Amino acid sequence: MYFAALLARTEDGWEASDTELDDVETLSDLADLARESSGEEDETVLVFIEQEDSWFGIVRVDGEEDPRVYVSDAAAASRSSYGELLLTDELLGRDPGDDGPDLDALDLDGTEDGEDEDDDDDEETPSADAVPQGPVGDSEILDDLGVSPKELRALDEDALNSIAEALGASEVLETVR
């Protein structure tokens, strides 16, 4: 079960709206959706995404600046379509467009039919595509709003409500839950 909401900071305080992410395919699409939801160009908009108590993600959009992203557990998020939306190559420290091995560089020496060239090589090496356990992204994403990086990394169950409470937006978030 997923929950997604937008929190926009306005002159009158925080405004919340739930959102559907069905038509969102990239982080850029999500940032555009956040910008469209705000009434002013320079408003801060936070996108909260949560999968039960498994992981949560925050995307912060400040005007036309690039979105900032924090994900509480990259490995758990990588197993969900919404998590994959947030886990960009840049966030994971990968080179953009590095989709796997270069087929031209493979050494096809006759062992490709399942025969091991060296039986001593049974140790499994971590894949370059492996997603790290634990948090990734900008842990200072909410620092200026009252949630320190240390507090953010310590959150687990009911994290979005705790964040909303620290922001003074718990009542408006609760209206869209």
Side-chain angles (χ1 to χ4, degrees):
M1 179 82 172
Y2 291 96
F3 170 72
L6 298 169
L7 277 179
R9 187 168 65 171
T10 68
E11 291 177 2
D12 300 328
W14 291 97
E15 293 180 6
S17 59
D18 60 345
T19 187
E20 286 294 322
L21 301 178
D22 295 340
D23 295 331
V24 176
E25 296 179 8
T26 65
L27 182 58
S28 294
D29 292 345
L30 186 59
D32 289 343
L33 178 70
R35 286 184 190 103
E36 290 169 10
S37 75
S38 75
E40 298 291 321
E41 273 185 31
D42 296 334
E43 282 183 355
T44 296
V45 179
L46 302 175
V47 181
F48 286 170
I49 301 174
E50 174 182 65
Q51 180 184 7
E52 293 176 342
D53 290 328
S54 178
W55 66 274
F56 69 91
I58 302 167
V59 178
R60 179 176 176 163
V61 179
D62 293 304
E64 291 300 316
E65 292 182 29
D66 288 340
R68 297 166 59 189
V69 179
Y70 176 83
V71 176
S72 67
D73 186 341
S78 71
R79 294 186 292 272
S80 85
S81 59
Y82 294 139
E84 287 180 351
L85 182 77
L86 304 179
L87 297 174
T88 63
D89 287 337
E90 181 180 343
L91 190 71
L92 295 173
R94 297 180 187 156
D95 291 331
D98 188 13
D99 293 335
D102 179 6
L103 295 180
D104 293 332
L106 290 177
D107 181 19
L108 301 177
D109 61 0
T111 61
E112 61 272 5
D113 292 330
E115 300 173 26
D116 285 342
E117 184 176 329
D118 186 4
D119 289 335
D120 296 336
D121 249 355
D122 288 342
E123 294 179 28
E124 196 166 311
T125 57
S127 166
D129 292 336
V131 176
Q133 293 283 337
V136 295
D138 185 354
S139 61
E140 296 180 354
I141 192 168
L142 302 173
D143 198 23
D144 64 323
L145 299 174
V147 181
S148 74
K150 183 178 179 181
E151 292 169 319
L152 185 60
R153 287 189 301 269
L155 294 173
D156 50 15
E157 290 184 31
D158 207 26
L160 297 184
N161 285 335
S162 298
I163 293 168
E165 188 173 311
L167 299 176
S170 58
E171 288 181 21
V172 294
L173 182 64
E174 201 56 41
T175 63
V176 297
R177 265 207 189 260

